[in-house]
Amino acid sequence: MKLCMIGTGYVGLVTGTCFSDIGNDVICADVDNNKIKNLNLGTIPIYEPGLEEMVKRNVNQGRLKFSNDVSDAIRKSDIIFICVGTPTNKKTNEADLKYVFQVARKIKFNLNKYKIIVNKSTVPVTTGDKIESILKRNKFKSKYDVVSNPEFLREGEAIRDFVVPDRVVIGTKSKKALKIMRSLYLPIIKKNSRFFSTSRRGAELIKYASNAFLATKISFINEMANFCEESDINIEDISVGMGLDQRIGERFLRAGPGYGGSCFPKDTRAIVSLAKRFKVNLSIINSAIKSNKNRTKILFNRILKIVNNKFKNKSIAFLGVTFKANTDDMRESPCLSLIPALISKGAKINYYEPTGQKKELDKYKNVTFSKKVSDATKKADLIIVHTEWNEFKQLNLRKLLKNKKVIVYDMRNIYSPEKMKKIGIKYYGIGR
Ligand code: UGA
């Protein structure tokens, strides 16, 4: 099939590349000339394991192309995926749809034959209806169907999530569009994924509701971790014991520094504001947002206790600063509120991050970047394991931390408290 992705950000690039990998002809189009120039030179703008090789393979086979001529890409394609950003509108907290509507207008002027317009951007309920009304008066009088097909790709696991998704959700009333979308996804559905069709508004809400539910699940387990810390219980046992109930499920029950990234914070805010427009109060999601915001304060107070209220000139090493492992993304990373709070009390921060130095932290005088774990931890009084990168899991801590006075605060519970005790290191985890 002939497809185009409009927007070569995370979603467009991964989805386009994966669709080309199962044999489709795909154009990934973007108005950002620089991005397209770099992609044509083989430079991938995001860090996503496995993506670079997959892009190369499909470009070499001639199935994957990058173009800054969005109109041409639309005209040449049968299915057009809208994959542009929907950032938070700072005034309303709702998703800002200006890029989505810009693309819809571009499609309207290039609708030279029947096409399916698939919205993959995360959008509020009724956005599909609005896209449809923009397309209504196209000069070609062409037929079209506007479909919602939300994405469920996790950063760092995006290729796997595309290839073996739990489900593919299609929102449309059109039998024709549904049949085409089913055949497009057939190679993936065959791998035991559920293909689920619903109304367009239904599909739009499934996306927001899923992210909001997962964010709530994380806030829930984080609050249980707070409880465990006060009652001498290990949160890891609670996660396992709860997760064994299939109605609850074991995934997304890992306590940690709070959820971050470009999706959960943005989408939880957006769904709460959207619901207000429909005069509905989503109080549970609202509480999850508040609970996650409060996480910095809780972690900060715990650190205060760990260092006996003495921050002045304390050297703190951060291992990992991205919002989770396998990504270079810093958006809404928990450390972005924790680090300023620590330095305002006189602490000095030295961080190591596998994806390199971060511009978000450059503005702080007392924050420095080290290229090696050993450099970051050399003079540390306290080591904070902030991101669960694999390379931290089997560190030879006995060798690394010759200074036995150092304290380790493991915000991802990747180390065993018993082992740490054995090697004589003062150790704290989350919820245990
Ligand atoms: C999330 C969803 O998982 C995807 O399904 C969705 O497609 C995507 O948002 C999106 O809307 O585009 P992502 O933000 O990449 O994906 O990352 P997650 O793996 O979901 O993690 C989000 C945050 O939750 C991270 O800060 C992570 O550390 C935290 N988390 C996750 C926990 O604290 N505990 C857990 O058990 C799981």
Side-chain angles (χ1 to χ4, degrees):
M1 283 190 220
K2 287 191 182 346
L3 320 175
C4 79
M5 307 290 134
I6 306 184
T8 53
Y10 206 85
V11 175
L13 192 56
V14 172
T15 308
T17 306
C18 289
F19 269 132
S20 69
D21 206 50
I22 51 173
N24 297 287
D25 288 319
V26 181
I27 306 174
C28 286
D30 203 302
V31 288
D32 184 338
N33 293 337
N34 218 14
K35 215 182 216 182
I36 295 299
K37 201 171 116 199
N38 284 331
L39 280 166
N40 277 322
L41 291 170
T43 311
I44 308 296
I46 52 169
Y47 177 94
E48 181 62 38
L51 186 62
E52 195 170 328
E53 302 85 75
M54 202 186 242
V55 167
K56 269 193 195 135
R57 185 164 71 235
N58 288 286
V59 167
N60 288 342
Q61 290 299 320
R63 286 190 296 256
L64 179 63
K65 294 192 172 77
F66 300 104
S67 166
N68 58 2
D69 191 342
V70 176
S71 302
D72 178 66
I74 295 169
R75 285 195 297 270
K76 284 185 177 145
S77 305
D78 305 313
I79 308 181
I80 294 140
F81 286 81
I82 303 178
C83 304
V84 292
T86 52
T88 301
N89 175 326
K90 294 233 165 77
K91 269 193 210 138
T92 60
N93 261 343
E94 282 195 44
D96 185 343
L97 295 175
K98 68 170 178 275
Y99 303 117
V100 172
F101 295 144
Q102 268 169 23
V103 173
R105 282 191 286 275
K106 202 136 247 158
I107 296 171
K108 171 185 174 174
F109 293 116
N110 292 286
L111 207 56
N112 53 351
K113 57 178 178 186
Y114 171 80
K115 292 180 196 294
I116 300 179
I117 320 305
V118 182
N119 185 48
K120 262 217 177 282
S121 298
T122 302
V123 293
V125 172
T126 69
T127 304
D129 307 357
K130 289 176 186 149
I131 297 174
E132 194 164 86
S133 65
I134 291 175
L135 300 180
K136 233 171 216 159
R137 283 176 292 278
N138 71 82
K139 66 175 179 187
F140 303 96
K141 298 200 170 61
S142 300
K143 293 224 161 55
Y144 57 87
D145 280 304
V146 177
V147 167
S148 168
N149 170 214
E151 61 88 12
F152 302 107
L153 310 174
R154 283 166 301 164
E155 288 188 20
E157 315 272 345
I159 292 177
R160 192 190 160 277
D161 284 348
F162 182 94
V163 179
V164 266
D166 287 343
R167 78 294 206 194
V168 171
V169 174
I170 302 291
T172 181
K173 264 198 284 210
S174 157
K175 284 201 179 110
K176 180 176 176 181
L178 187 62
K179 199 170 156 207
I180 296 173
M181 291 305 289
R182 187 190 289 274
S183 64
L184 175 66
Y185 274 107
L186 198 64
I188 294 161
I189 309 164
K190 273 188 184 156
K191 290 180 185 154
N192 289 338
S193 301
R194 281 283 307 271
F195 184 87
F196 177 66
S197 69
T198 176
S199 67
R200 195 167 55 206
R201 288 184 178 195
E204 288 169 341
L205 186 57
I206 285 170
K207 167 69 192 191
Y208 268 141
S210 301
N211 274 2
F213 186 79
L214 292 171
T216 307
K217 205 171 172 189
I218 296 166
S219 287
F220 181 91
I221 204 68
N222 284 340
E223 291 202 353
M224 284 301 133
N226 297 342
F227 187 22
C228 288
E229 279 168 21
E230 298 306 320
S231 54
D232 195 22
I233 298 171
N234 187 343
I235 188 65
E236 299 295 314
D237 293 345
I238 307 308
S239 298
V240 174
M242 282 175 68
L244 286 172
D245 183 331
Q246 287 192 12
R247 292 168 302 175
I248 298 172
E250 62 183 353
R251 295 169 76 191
F252 280 68
L253 273 185
R254 281 188 337 266
Y259 63 78
S262 64
C263 307
F264 287 175
K266 168 176 81 74
D267 295 347
T268 43
R269 287 192 294 263
I271 190 175
V272 165
S273 309
L274 171 71
K276 269 190 203 146
R277 261 208 282 139
F278 287 83
K279 299 201 167 41
V280 176
N281 176 17
L282 297 179
S283 64
I284 294 176
I285 304 175
N286 231 335
S287 298
I289 296 171
K290 276 194 198 137
S291 170
N292 198 57
K293 251 195 196 148
N294 202 31
R295 196 93 194 112
T296 307
K297 211 156 116 204
I298 287 174
L299 298 178
F300 179 83
N301 287 338
R302 184 109 203 271
I303 298 171
L304 203 64
K305 237 180 175 173
I306 291 174
V307 298
N308 281 331
N309 290 323
K310 283 182 209 128
F311 269 124
K312 197 101 196 105
N313 292 326
K314 277 264 180 309
S315 177
I316 303 180
F318 267 72
L319 297 190
V321 288
T322 50
F323 80 97
K324 65 170 193 175
N326 296 325
T327 178
D328 58 357
D329 202 337
M330 285 296 286
R331 283 177 287 180
E332 309 225 17
S333 175
C335 76
L336 291 177
S337 45
L338 194 54
I339 287 178
L342 295 172
I343 52 177
S344 74
K345 295 285 174 206
K348 293 194 168 76
I349 311 286
N350 205 319
Y351 72 95
Y352 165 74
E353 162 55 45
T355 60
Q357 192 166 345
K358 297 294 166 197
K359 63 176 188 311
E360 293 80 355
L361 297 172
D362 284 349
K363 60 182 172 213
Y364 301 111
K365 215 173 80 202
N366 281 336
V367 179
T368 47
F369 168 70
S370 293
K371 283 190 178 149
K372 284 189 196 159
V373 175
S374 53
D375 292 342
T377 54
K378 207 181 316 177
K379 289 187 185 143
D381 301 298
L382 171 68
I383 295 172
I384 293 181
V385 181
H386 174 271
T387 313
E388 72 283 26
W389 285 95
N390 270 341
E391 65 178 272
F392 302 148
K393 292 182 183 161
Q394 294 288 2
L395 281 178
N396 187 343
L397 290 169
R398 199 199 293 262
K399 198 171 142 207
L400 193 70
L401 309 181
K402 284 180 198 120
N403 160 20
K404 291 253 173 104
K405 277 198 197 130
V406 71
I407 304 171
V408 173
Y409 183 19
D410 175 6
M411 292 186 176
R412 300 286 181 168
N413 289 349
I414 61 177
Y415 300 126
S416 138
E418 289 77 30
K419 211 169 158 190
M420 295 302 257
K421 200 169 172 188
K422 225 172 168 181
I423 57 174
I425 288 166
K426 209 165 176 196
Y427 172 83
Y428 297 86
I430 295 272
R432 55 185 192 177

